[in-house]
Amino acid sequence: MRYVAFGFENSSKEDQPPVIQYGTDLEPPTQVEVVSSKECHIMDIPKVGLEVDGVVVENLDLYSQPLTFTVALRYPDGAEVRLPIVNDHPQVEMAKLPPGFSLRLRPSTQH
């Protein structure tokens, strides 16, 4: 089983960036912080989709998806963040980011 999620880890800590989380039932989840130079409000939450072979779908069901795909975040202002997943592993260094955005891999908390 595999999953992708996006959101804020703790809604009471507004100074923390939102997180893309990708995981499987066999390994601890990988968490990637989406850092932006702009202030983030509830209306700025992006639509999350999966891109496979150039087609983006908003269905996050990974059951029938290949092990290589891209997580696509589409913000209301048109900014797009794209995080490739290659052979079931997020590739932060290959991400495509709009100006003012960066990704930061969180260290694993599970051993």
Side-chain angles (χ1 to χ4, degrees), residues 8-95:
F8 292 90
E9 183 176 26
N10 186 338
S11 61
S12 67
K13 295 185 178 180
E14 295 177 8
D15 60 335
Q16 291 187 346
V19 174
I20 300 171
Q21 185 167 289
Y22 178 74
T24 72
D25 56 346
L26 302 176
E27 296 181 19
T30 300
Q31 296 182 335
V32 179
E33 294 178 350
V34 181
V35 181
S36 173
S37 60
K38 69 177 189 169
E39 207 172 307
C40 189
H41 300 285
I42 191 71
M43 298 305 291
D44 296 329
I45 303 236
K47 290 187 177 186
V48 182
L50 303 178
E51 181 180 323
V52 179
D53 297 327
V55 177
V56 177
V57 295
E58 291 181 15
N59 180 352
L60 299 181
D61 177 14
L62 296 174
Y63 181 74
S64 61
Q65 300 298 339
L67 298 178
T68 298
F69 59 93
T70 298
V71 176
L73 305 179
R74 292 183 173 176
Y75 287 84
D77 65 0
E80 290 189 7
V81 171
R82 296 180 175 279
L83 174 62
I85 309 293
V86 177
N87 292 323
D88 249 1
H89 297 285
Q91 305 296 313
V92 173
E93 69 283 353
M94 294 172 57

Side-chain angles (χ1 to χ4, degrees), residues 90-109:
Q91 305 296 313
V92 173
E93 69 283 353
M94 294 172 57
K96 293 184 180 171
L97 304 168
F101 282 78
S102 64
L103 298 180
R104 185 170 48 217
L105 188 62
R106 282 189 177 174
S108 177
T109 57

